[in-house]
């Protein structure tokens, strides 16, 4: 029976509770909905769906599934039971294997099957299983890290097939206990039998050169390795005492050259090296990492300090960008020179400036202006007026939901996103800030899982009162590789950056998960807000003015106070105790912005804990006295409106400061920006300006409804299960699709041409015919819609196309799968 039809029969016999559990674990099976159990089984057997399901399996489940895959053969009906798998998994128990097989069956990754032909009566009473048909394609050619068999290597490696008979003959002449052979397949079977047991392999390796065991140990987790000039070095049977371990192994077929630079450890050799087991180490308990400890007080202070510093720097980023937007490259992203300017203004390194810019962009605090191709601060930004704890939650929610990885900024393109050889960023070899290369669609899922693992390890550590377990990337990655081994590569590429970003946001403090991080990991943002509001120091409203023309901030300043100080003084240093230095140039900058000496002194008097020093007063008054009373500027356009109140409101709008507006009459305002730029800015403020003519410098203003402000980001955890309503609807369709009784799936009607079931059944038939070199009869439709039946031998399936050999015409052709209506296997084999 077809594997898909067998799975359909099993799914139809399940209870509603079992199907609900399946849909919750594999939500893609009902997205979109399926019409019947046959289509459900076809989708559950599909390559993409199986790949997604495998990404959620833990290491013991993957080990059992890979072992089942290696010791079964759907073509011959050779199934396997828990007792058979136990013999191949070191350290396992029959009960554990049974439970894991049941969990895999519940996930529709394996299904019950008849015992193998000729099985003993006792074995026939056991439950036997077969995996879904697409499992081989998903797992790859090296399941459990083991290589392919000698027979498969002979069939797929022509160079090895040409020399394997001679290799076996030379081994036989040298006294090895290996049977001679006359054909490549016989030689492959001889090598397989020669290396079949740990004892025989140990006897072979007894005369091996030094360091051979260490070399073979490198193949413990993966069957392929790199060896220069592998094919040439495997051509001669070396007997000299000074031969190296690589040449010795190649000459005896214990390593098989794949090409000029790579070798493979055959399956039987790998299993024998593992003591006759497919899985050498098996455990149902995740590894417990060795963790350090830090004090709870130090963790809290580090987290709160990081939050305050990040909020301060984000505020400075917004001020700097408002003064001068971040220009983008033609290839996208912000270049290194522009990021260096931002970093210098923030007094931090370029990488940290790039991460902060990414934070601001993912939170909507910066947006890309399509007209100027620069990153600017949007108008009506609510974030600036929020309490500090709500500003923090805004950033955290945006970070959790974003599909960008800020810490990849500055990393090599190929290292951050492995791809085809020679791939380079068009703007250089590193990832630029706010560029497309920092996009990672799986980032939200990985972030959520990292926080969950941090919380799990913290709870498991059960540190004494006043202590907290210190966690690092190695500990988190070790747990991640156990819980989701198929996603280990994604975790390894993102985990260090995620931990760094979490530390900047105060979710981690002094290497330990903070109380805030634990609340966010448990999806309790309100609790996190309460904790932060209770412990985060309030922003200061005063500075200390000193006689050396500086103002010292004794802590984190209110963002509005910090922004006003930056207009009249230059910031120095890092951290909360920032020094603001006054100079002639900085005071002149404030005067150019429209302030006068009295306003500056009044502002300093209100926000200084000390009296204004005489040198500073003289500096401000003298600079103001020399400041020109005449102003010369450019007016590129002017705004005209009969609504004087609207013009007055526009002049006082902070978001319109970049236009350099000057009122010269009750109904006329000058702007130094071009007409189109002025109109675009006014539209961003929610107004509705009109350009009278294409070349005109007149912009008429009329009132409009206020434009939308940037809303607060709300984080929703990535959905791991479909809504209950969708499950109920799908069950109603499945149970109401007909009155077929459970168990009648084998007699279900033929799949409709072009349906998901028909496509999967056709692929299953083609792949089986390829493995068995079997002829098939295909009903093919040409470009004109004419159908014809053809008897061909399928050779390969890839990328939606199938390559076939036509025995009658003796030619090969490539057909699109969507043109194949149906496929029927024949009993005739192609020789």
């Amino acid at each position: 029976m077809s594997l898909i039809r067998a799975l359909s029969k099993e799914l139809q016999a399940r209870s509603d509770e079992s199907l609900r559990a399946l849909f919750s674990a594999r939500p893609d099976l009902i997205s979109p909905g399926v019409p019947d159990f046959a289509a459900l089984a076809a989708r559950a057997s599909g390559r993409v769906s199986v790949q997604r399901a495998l990404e959620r399996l833990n290491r013991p489940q993957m080990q059992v599934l890979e072992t089942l895959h290696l010791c079964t053969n759907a073509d011959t009906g050779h199934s396997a039971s828990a007792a058979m798998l136990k013999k191949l998994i070191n350290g396992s128990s029959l009960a554990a294997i049974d439970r894991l097989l049941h969990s895999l069956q519940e996930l529709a990754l394996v299904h019950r099957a008849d015992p193998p032909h000729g099985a003993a009566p006792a074995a026939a009473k056991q439950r036997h299983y077969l995996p879904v048909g697409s499992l081989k394609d998903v797992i790859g050619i090296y399941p459990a890290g083991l290589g392919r068999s000698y027979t498969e290597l002979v069939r797929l490696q022509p160079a090895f097939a040409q020399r394997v008979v001679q290799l076996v003959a030379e081994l036989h002449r040298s006294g090895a206990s290996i049977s001679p052979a006359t054909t490549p397949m016989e030689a492959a079977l001889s090598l397989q039998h020669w290396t079949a047991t740990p004892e025989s392999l140990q006897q072979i390796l007894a005369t091996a050169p030094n360091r051979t065991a260490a070399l073979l140990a490198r193949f413990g987790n993966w069957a392929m390795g790199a060896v220069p000039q592998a094919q040439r070095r495997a051509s001669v049977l070396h007997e000299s005492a000074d031969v190296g371990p690589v040449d010795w192994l190649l000459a005896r077929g214990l390593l098989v050259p794949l090409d000029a630079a790579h070798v493979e450890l055959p399956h039987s050799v790998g299993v024998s090296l593992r003591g006759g087991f497919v899985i050498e180490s098996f455990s149902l308990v995740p590894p417990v990492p060795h963790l350090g400890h830090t004090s709870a007080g130090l963790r809290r202070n580090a987290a709160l300090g990081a939050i305050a510093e990040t909020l301060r720097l984000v505020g400075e980023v917004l001020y700097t960008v408002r003064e001068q937007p971040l220009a983008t490259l033609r290839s996208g992203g912000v270049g290194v020179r522009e990021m260096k300017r931002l970093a210098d203004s923030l007094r931090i390194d370029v990488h940290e400036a790039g991460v902060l810019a990414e934070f601001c962009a993912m939170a909507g605090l910066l947006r890309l202006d399509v007209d100027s191709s620069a990153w600017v601060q949007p108008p009506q930004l609510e974030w600036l007026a929020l309490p500090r704890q709500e500003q923090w939650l805004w950033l955290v929610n945006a970070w959790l939901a974003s599909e960008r990885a800020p810490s990849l900024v500055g990393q090599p393109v190929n290292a951050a996103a492995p791809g085809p050889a020679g791939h380079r960023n068009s703007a250089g070899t590193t990832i630029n800030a706010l560029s497309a290369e920092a996009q990672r669609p799986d980032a939200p899922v990985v972030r959520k899982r990292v926080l969950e693992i941090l919380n799990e390890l913290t709870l498991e550590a059960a540190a004494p009162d006043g202590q907290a377990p210190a966690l690092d990337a190695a500990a988190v990655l070790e747990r991640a590789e156990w819980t989701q081994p198929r996603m280990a590569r994604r975790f390894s590429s993102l985990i260090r950056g995620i931990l760094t970003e979490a530390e900047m946001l105060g979710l981690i403090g002094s290497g330990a998960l903070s109380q805030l991080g634990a609340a966010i990991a448990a999806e309790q943002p309100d609790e996190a807000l309460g904790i932060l509001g209770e412990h985060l120091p309030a922003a200061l409203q005063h500075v200390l003015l000193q006689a050396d023309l500086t103002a010292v901030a004794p802590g984190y300043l209110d963002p509005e106070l910090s922004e006003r100080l930056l207009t009249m003084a230059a910031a120095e240093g890092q951290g909360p105790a920032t020094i603001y230095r006054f100079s002639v140039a900085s005071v002149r900058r404030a005067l150019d912005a429209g302030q006068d000496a009295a306003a500056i002194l009044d502002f300093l008097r209100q926000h200084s804990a000390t009296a204004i020093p005489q040198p500073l007063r003289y500096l401000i008054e003298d600079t103001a006295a020399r400041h020109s009373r005449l102003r010369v500027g450019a007016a590129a356009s002017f705004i005209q409106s009969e609504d004087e109140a609207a013009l007055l409101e526009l002049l006082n709008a902070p978001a319109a400061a970049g236009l350099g507006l000057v009122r010269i009459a009750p109904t006329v305002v000058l702007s130094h920006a071009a007409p189109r730029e002025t109109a675009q800015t006014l539209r961003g403020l929610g107004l509705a300006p009109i350009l009278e003519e294409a070349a005109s410098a007149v912009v008429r203003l009329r009132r409009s409804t206020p434009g939308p402000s940037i809303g607060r980001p709300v984080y929703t955890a990535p959905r791991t299960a479909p809504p209950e309503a969708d499950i109920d609807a799908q069950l109603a369709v499945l149970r109401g699709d007909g009155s077929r009784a459970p168990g009648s799936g084998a007699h279900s009607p033929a799949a409709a041409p072009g349906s998901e079931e028909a496509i999967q059944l056709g692929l299953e038939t083609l792949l089986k015919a390829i493995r068995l070199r079997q002829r098939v009869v295909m009903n093919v439709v040409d470009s004109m819609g004419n159908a014809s039946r053809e008897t061909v031998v399928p050779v390969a399936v890839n990328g939606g196309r199938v390559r076939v050999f036509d025995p009658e015409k003796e030619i090969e052709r490539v057909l699109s799968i969507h043109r194949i209506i149906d496929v029927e296997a024949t009993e005739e084999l192609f020789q």
Side-chain angles (χ1 to χ4, degrees), residues 316-398:
E316 287 201 28
V317 169
L318 298 181
Y319 169 78
T320 304
V321 172
R322 186 163 60 249
E323 292 295 313
Q324 184 176 351
L326 293 174
T328 59
L329 301 168
R330 285 194 298 178
S331 58
V334 179
V336 176
R337 181 179 301 177
E338 194 75 351
M339 292 310 303
K340 180 70 165 57
R341 176 181 66 80
L342 178 63
D344 290 343
S345 66
L346 300 178
R347 305 167 304 285
I348 57 178
D349 61 70
V350 176
H351 175 71
E352 188 176 358
V355 174
L356 286 168
E358 288 278 351
F359 277 173
C360 292
M362 65 174 57
L365 309 183
L366 295 179
R367 65 173 176 83
L368 183 62
D369 181 50
V370 294
D371 293 325
S372 62
S373 295
W375 287 87
V376 300
Q377 178 185 315
Q380 305 178 19
L381 188 56
E382 180 190 3
W383 187 87
L384 295 170
L386 291 176
R388 300 172 79 202
Q389 62 266 27
E390 294 189 26
Q391 289 181 336
W392 169 81
L393 186 60
W394 181 311
L395 292 177
V396 170
N397 282 339

Side-chain angles (χ1 to χ4, degrees), residues 80-96:
S81 64
M84 297 170 62
L85 299 184
K86 179 182 178 300
K87 298 176 182 178
L88 300 174
I89 302 177
N90 188 28
S92 65
S93 66
L94 193 60

Side-chain angles (χ1 to χ4, degrees), residues 441-509:
D442 57 346
V445 176
V446 176
R447 283 193 195 101
K448 181 177 184 294
R449 187 63 192 128
V450 167
L451 288 178
E452 290 174 347
I453 291 174
L454 288 170
N455 200 26
E456 291 171 10
L457 293 175
T458 300
L459 295 175
E460 290 175 7
D465 292 340
Q467 296 290 314
L471 305 165
D472 56 11
V476 178
L477 186 58
E478 184 181 19
R479 176 59 60 89
E481 289 176 341
W482 191 90
T483 55
Q484 291 176 280
R486 294 281 295 187
M487 290 190 66
R489 187 177 181 184
R490 300 186 195 180
F491 277 103
S492 63
S493 64
L494 295 176
I495 193 167
R496 287 170 179 81
I498 288 175
L499 293 179
T500 300
E501 296 158 15
E503 193 162 6
M504 291 178 64
L505 293 170
L507 304 177
I508 296 175

Side-chain angles (χ1 to χ4, degrees), residues 374-666:
W375 287 87
V376 300
Q377 178 185 315
Q380 305 178 19
L381 188 56
E382 180 190 3
W383 187 87
L384 295 170
L386 291 176
R388 300 172 79 202
Q389 62 266 27
E390 294 189 26
Q391 289 181 336
W392 169 81
L393 186 60
W394 181 311
L395 292 177
V396 170
N397 282 339
W399 177 72
L400 289 171
S402 175
E403 294 186 352
R404 296 188 61 80
S407 293
L408 293 182
V409 172
Q411 291 189 18
V413 174
N414 291 345
H423 175 69
R424 289 290 185 272
N425 188 350
S426 57
T429 60
T430 60
I431 295 178
N432 290 320
L434 305 175
S435 65
E437 284 82 0
Q439 195 78 9
R440 291 292 181 274
D442 57 346
V445 176
V446 176
R447 283 193 195 101
K448 181 177 184 294
R449 187 63 192 128
V450 167
L451 288 178
E452 290 174 347
I453 291 174
L454 288 170
N455 200 26
E456 291 171 10
L457 293 175
T458 300
L459 295 175
E460 290 175 7
D465 292 340
Q467 296 290 314
L471 305 165
D472 56 11
V476 178
L477 186 58
E478 184 181 19
R479 176 59 60 89
E481 289 176 341
W482 191 90
T483 55
Q484 291 176 280
R486 294 281 295 187
M487 290 190 66
R489 187 177 181 184
R490 300 186 195 180
F491 277 103
S492 63
S493 64
L494 295 176
I495 193 167
R496 287 170 179 81
I498 288 175
L499 293 179
T500 300
E501 296 158 15
E503 193 162 6
M504 291 178 64
L505 293 170
L507 304 177
I508 296 175
S510 189
L513 185 70
S514 65
Q515 289 181 299
L516 298 170
I520 294 298
E523 300 182 21
Q524 297 176 341
D526 292 337
E527 180 182 343
L529 272 181
I531 295 173
L532 190 59
E534 180 181 351
H535 293 95
L536 187 66
L540 297 179
Q541 294 286 344
H542 69 275
V543 294
L544 304 175
L545 294 176
Q546 302 187 118
D548 61 351
L549 302 180
T550 60
V552 177
Y556 292 99
L557 298 180
D558 181 82
E560 185 177 353
L561 172 58
S562 176
E563 184 175 328
R564 286 288 302 274
L565 275 175
L566 287 172
T567 64
M568 60 187 68
E572 298 177 352
Q574 294 180 342
T578 305
I579 297 175
Y580 297 86
R581 185 171 299 279
F582 295 88
S583 64
V584 174
S586 67
V587 174
R588 186 180 294 123
R589 185 172 66 243
L591 295 172
D592 290 340
Q595 302 185 55
D596 55 23
I600 295 174
L601 290 173
D602 183 60
F603 169 78
L604 294 177
R605 196 176 294 111
Q606 292 178 13
H607 295 284
S608 174
T610 59
I612 300 177
Q614 190 178 56
L616 179 58
R617 182 189 303 274
Y618 285 166
L619 172 68
I620 295 172
E621 291 176 346
D622 291 348
T623 304
R626 294 192 301 270
H627 194 258
S628 177
R629 298 195 177 274
L630 296 178
R631 296 190 178 186
V632 178
S637 60
F638 65 90
I639 305 170
Q640 181 181 354
S641 175
E642 299 301 327
D643 191 341
E644 297 182 20
L647 285 179
L648 183 61
E649 182 181 341
L650 177 63
L651 286 167
N652 294 326
L659 296 178
L661 300 179
V662 178
R663 190 174 190 179
I664 61 173

Side-chain angles (χ1 to χ4, degrees), residues 780-781 799-802 814-821:
V780 183
V781 177
R801 297 176 180 272
V802 56
V814 177
L815 302 173
S816 296
I817 290 180
H818 72 273
R819 293 191 180 278
I820 302 174
I821 298 178

